[in-house]
Amino acid sequence: MCGIVGYIGNRQAYPVILKGLKRLEYRGYDSAGIALLQEGQLAVHKKQGKVADLEELVAGKRVQANIGIGHTRWATHGAPNDINAHPHLSGDGKLAIVHNGIIENYASIKKDLIQKGHRFLGDTDSEVIAHFIEEIKRQNQCALEEAIRLVLKRIVGAYVIVILDCDNPGELIAVRKGSPLVIGIGKGEHFLASDASPIIEYTQEVVYVNDYEIAIVRPDELVLKNSSNEVQTPYIQKLDMELASIEKDGYDYFMQKEIFEQPQRIFDSLRGRLNAQKGRLTLGGLHQYMDAFIQANRMVILACGTSWHAGLVAEYMIEKMARIPVEVEYASEFRYRDPIINKGDVILAISQSGETADTLVAIEEAKEKGAVVFGVCNVVGASIPRVSHAGAYTHAGPEIGVASTKAFTAQLTVLVQIAIKVGYEKGTLSPSQYFNLLHALEQIPDKVAEVLKKDQEIKEIARKYEGYKDFLFLGRGYNFPVALEGALKLKEVSYIHAEGYPAAEMKHGPIALVEESLPVVFIATRDAHYSKIVSNIQEVKARNGKVIAVVNEGDDTLRELVDDVIAVPETEEALAPLVNVIPLQLLAYHIGVLKNLDVDKPRNLAKSVTVE
Ligand code: F6R
């Protein structure tokens, strides 16, 4: 949700910022811009479209500068055009800002500024910040830092703002509340970014700026101050990220790379936690809160999108194995209905990015009401893990494709480990069930690798169906959330309308849609619901529907009944989503690519949704 890069030091700022913006483009890609300070003057270049369009615009222009800021945008206020692209300038043109987030009370501030004579060029909330800082600085005759501090007291919302000022040419000032900001520490240079990916090739040492902190960043110095203007000692952390993990590595798309990485990422998520031979399962973060889990009267899972689907799978797992009642809530809905939190409730927050604003504010609300919050996140050091009482990282590595794939299966891997561990400790899983599950879990990376060998076969099926306009995805039990996820992947990357439903619900409405032009994808692997789902398939076939079925290997009954099958290895029912979702990811990927779409950056989407 908007990517920010800043540089100050001895290098040429432009190439550093441009490369950084390309790395952050997954956060938003409707326009991009850059401001450089050249001999005391600001040079600003902005362009609607992708970072490559900005690069083309700037080609041949003079870009020499050792300090600058850049931005790649996901529009909230104002159309994605050149004018609304960041950086934005103050009225006197001396101050440039880039902003990630939303200023909720911008309209009243803007009105007030207009009355004072300010003239705005575009429609963004962000442009207001530049003018507001200028106005406050002038009114109070104060230094920039003080003006920023005063402005922060007046604005409501979420933000990272980085400010470049002609009158303060030796520093960048950055502030954060509710959106991420990382500062890379180099020798005589500093890098600012929305995540560590633009920084990693220059330095491993980073500081994650906290909410309400102000960072004054000079080539040789990083001064961090809290909201009371007290200097803080920056907590320098070592980055645990490899450059290769944020590059395509020979694949056509990040989405493809990330789908194919899944055996390794699931393995990474089990590494150091699972030892099936010794019957050991250890999740560090869980250990300390095991009593809270065992005694929980209720668990509430909070998440959005794909992470919410992982939460639905977890509901089935936890209820079955640990016998704890679970509610799975869209974080955005939970937050605003004055949620009831009782003593003994445990909140499980699931988020790839760890920055999703809806999830973040929901868990803050739950925490305030006394709940124990356990975070399941991928990005180390992100906001959600930081505000959670405890948690477990999913270890999927950076996910760059906007449509989530490997993060989903890594989430499932962590969630099933939680369910198994709590169930075992609570005594609701017998030792033999426990050992069986551990052994089955250990085999999942190999089973996922088996499914990936079907890539070409799935591509052929994609070719057959790429022209259809609507799809239905159906599954029962553990496979119902898989159906939802399959439908979401398809609509995200191919723009084909797709719905996911519990298969039994079909006859309560969606069956009205069934006809020859509606492909129905059934997830019909062998489990407790198998015979029922076979009946549901019959119902679709009886109405001339086209059926693609994900079945277990050796299932000749369904092979004969349906139009196309994708056979996957069998596993324990609770682990089947980890295997069964893979063909649906590949189907969506191939249909998107066949339709000539940029599957890594679907239209209108952005990764890491840091606005509510
Ligand atoms: C879908 C997708 C989104 C995210 C959702 C939550 O492919 O990626 O639906 O799952 O925006 O994001 P996180 O998991 O970062 O909280």
Side-chain angles (χ1 to χ4, degrees):
M1 199 108 309
C2 299
I4 284 179
V5 187
Y7 177 79
I8 183 163
N10 298 319
R11 290 173 207 256
Q12 284 302 316
Y14 177 67
V16 174
I17 295 170
L18 191 78
K19 198 167 187 187
L21 290 180
K22 285 185 179 167
R23 292 247 158 89
L24 290 180
E25 210 169 11
Y26 70 89
R27 298 178 65 88
Y29 32 84
D30 57 46
S31 51
I34 194 158
L36 301 166
L37 193 58
Q38 298 176 311
E39 287 107 38
Q41 299 286 319
L42 280 173
V44 179
H45 309 282
K46 319 202 280 188
K47 187 77 192 141
Q48 179 181 353
K50 301 214 164 132
V51 177
D53 298 303
L54 172 71
E55 189 175 16
E56 205 178 298
L57 171 83
V58 176
K61 300 206 165 94
R62 206 174 75 79
V63 288
Q64 276 69 25
N66 302 114
I67 174 169
I69 53 179
H71 188 269
T72 173
R73 179 168 185 246
W74 184 84
T76 58
H77 297 61
N81 57 29
D82 293 355
I83 291 176
N84 288 331
H86 299 214
H88 291 291
L89 293 177
S90 56
D92 62 8
K94 286 188 149 187
L95 201 119
I97 69 115
V98 285
H99 167 223
N100 170 26
I102 285 182
I103 305 302
E104 289 168 12
N105 59 340
Y106 83 101
S108 59
I109 299 172
K110 186 172 180 177
K111 201 166 148 205
D112 199 39
L113 288 170
I114 289 171
Q115 273 167 8
K116 292 191 166 79
H118 287 258
R119 213 174 67 77
F120 290 89
L121 305 176
D123 310 308
T124 66
D125 52 339
S126 313
E127 191 183 1
V128 175
I129 305 169
H131 285 256
F132 199 23
I133 296 173
E134 174 190 20
E135 180 64 29
I136 293 282
K137 191 174 166 214
R138 195 185 51 75
Q139 267 177 22
N140 295 277
Q141 293 293 306
C142 62
L144 176 67
E145 190 190 321
E146 181 56 18
I148 293 169
R149 203 177 293 288
L150 293 170
V151 162
L152 296 186
K153 289 195 176 131
R154 304 268 297 276
I155 59 177
V156 178
Y159 49 79
V160 162
I161 307 165
V162 184
I163 301 125
L164 171 58
D165 178 19
C166 292
D167 291 338
N168 292 274
E171 63 189 32
L172 290 171
I173 299 190
V175 293
R176 137 177 193 156
K177 185 196 149 213
S179 287
L181 176 63
V182 190
I183 299 181
I185 319 278
K187 287 198 172 64
E189 60 183 351
H190 285 102
F191 307 82
L192 295 86
S194 301
D195 73 28
S197 60
I199 296 175
I200 180 155
E201 62 195 274
Y202 307 107
T203 174
Q204 299 279 321
E205 296 197 329
V206 295
V207 171
Y208 291 90
V209 178
N210 291 310
D211 274 352
Y212 304 106
E213 283 180 346
I214 296 190
I216 299 114
V217 190
R218 304 184 181 114
D220 290 308
E221 189 184 26
L222 166 63
V223 183
L224 268 189
K225 294 184 180 175
N226 65 13
S227 55
S228 315
N229 206 10
E230 295 157 347
V231 173
Q232 308 291 296
T233 309
Y235 172 53
I236 299 175
Q237 301 186 43
K238 274 250 175 300
L239 277 180
D240 180 20
M241 191 195 268
E242 283 167 21
L243 196 53
S245 69
I246 53 171
E247 289 180 343
K248 277 195 207 142
D249 208 15
Y251 286 92
D252 294 334
Y253 290 94
F254 281 110
M255 182 180 180
Q256 185 190 30
K257 179 191 175 206
E258 287 159 7
I259 291 173
F260 277 85
E261 264 177 46
Q262 288 178 108
Q264 184 60 45
R265 297 303 155 225
I266 295 170
F267 179 79
D268 291 346
S269 193
L270 295 172
R271 195 188 2 226
R273 292 172 170 162
L274 172 71
N275 185 330
Q277 276 62 42
K278 297 199 168 138
R280 243 187 250 144
L281 186 58
T282 326
L283 277 140
L286 189 60
H287 182 68
Q288 205 189 340
Y289 282 87
M290 187 51 89
D291 286 347
F293 274 82
I294 289 176
Q295 285 153 24
N297 297 319
R298 176 178 80 137
M299 280 180 68
V300 180
I301 298 182
L302 300 177
C304 307
T306 287
S307 298
W308 186 82
H309 296 156
L312 273 189
V313 178
E315 177 182 31
Y316 285 80
M317 291 167 171
I318 294 167
E319 291 200 340
K320 177 97 180 154
M321 298 180 202
R323 307 304 295 152
I324 302 169
V326 179
E327 284 169 34
V328 190
E329 302 274 356
Y330 287 114
S332 54
E333 289 299 317
F334 175 84
R335 160 71 178 83
Y336 290 104
R337 61 162 204 264
D338 192 11
I340 300 166
I341 302 284
N342 296 313
K343 198 164 179 284
D345 285 349
V346 172
I347 301 284
L348 203 66
I350 308 172
S351 173
Q352 187 286 127
S353 61
E355 299 292 349
T356 300
D358 289 323
T359 311
L360 188 58
V361 293
I363 62 175
E364 276 165 351
E365 170 88 13
K367 224 173 130 181
E368 244 170 55
K369 292 191 167 186
V372 167
V373 177
F374 191 90
V376 174
C377 295
N378 190 38
V379 177
V380 177
S383 300
I384 293 173
R386 288 200 290 165
V387 304
S388 301
H389 292 106
Y393 284 114
T394 51
H395 300 304
E399 190 178 63
I400 312 238
V402 166
S404 189
T405 52
K406 64 173 180 170
F408 177 69
T409 46
Q411 285 167 345
L412 294 184
T413 309
V414 167
L415 293 165
V416 77
Q417 291 178 86
I418 293 172
I420 297 173
K421 183 74 182 174
V422 176
Y424 184 58
E425 294 288 330
K426 200 176 163 184
T428 44
L429 263 189
S430 70
S432 70
Q433 288 170 319
Y434 173 74
F435 285 107
N436 280 349
L437 279 163
L438 295 196
H439 281 286
L441 190 52
E442 197 180 35
Q443 290 166 22
I444 291 294
D446 288 343
K447 295 197 171 179
V448 169
E450 279 302 305
V451 185
L452 292 170
K453 289 187 190 151
K454 307 260 159 103
D455 184 42
Q456 279 310 309
E457 201 180 298
I458 296 169
K459 189 172 174 184
E460 288 312 313
I461 297 175
R463 231 186 268 284
K464 217 165 135 185
Y465 290 95
E466 63 159 305
Y468 285 79
K469 298 269 176 287
D470 301 279
F471 274 71
L472 206 54
F473 285 73
L474 301 175
R476 300 176 83 118
Y478 284 103
N479 283 326
F480 156 52
V482 176
L484 294 183
E485 178 58 10
L488 180 63
K489 284 296 85 90
L490 186 65
K491 61 187 133 186
E492 281 180 301
V493 303
S494 73
Y495 313 154
I496 294 173
H497 170 246
E499 298 279 349
Y501 264 96
E505 272 292 304
M506 179 184 69
K507 57 189 177 295
H508 300 290
I511 199 162
L513 298 170
V514 173
E515 55 171 344
E516 221 176 323
S517 63
L518 182 83
V520 185
V521 181
F522 275 94
I523 301 99
T525 47
R526 280 188 210 100
D527 59 19
H529 308 273
Y530 179 73
S531 58
K532 296 265 185 314
I533 204 143
V534 173
S535 304
N536 297 139
I537 293 175
Q538 299 273 18
E539 287 154 16
V540 171
K541 285 310 298 172
R543 288 160 181 83
N544 285 331
K546 288 253 175 320
V547 173
I548 306 165
V550 175
V551 303
N552 279 137
E553 277 153 0
D555 186 337
D556 296 329
T557 317
L558 281 181
R559 197 175 278 276
E560 275 168 28
L561 184 62
V562 304
D563 298 86
D564 291 281
V565 292
I566 305 165
V568 299
E570 200 166 342
T571 178
E572 286 284 328
E573 193 169 340
L575 304 179
L578 279 155
V579 177
N580 297 352
V581 75
I582 310 295
L584 307 186
Q585 296 171 343
L586 284 170
L587 185 67
Y589 167 76
H590 284 301
I591 292 182
V593 172
L594 286 166
K595 290 183 77 180
N596 244 335
L597 298 169
D598 182 350
V599 294
D600 282 345
K601 300 189 192 84
R603 72 179 173 213
N604 302 337
L605 291 179
K607 211 160 181 75
S608 190
V609 185
T610 54
V611 295
E612 278 186 70

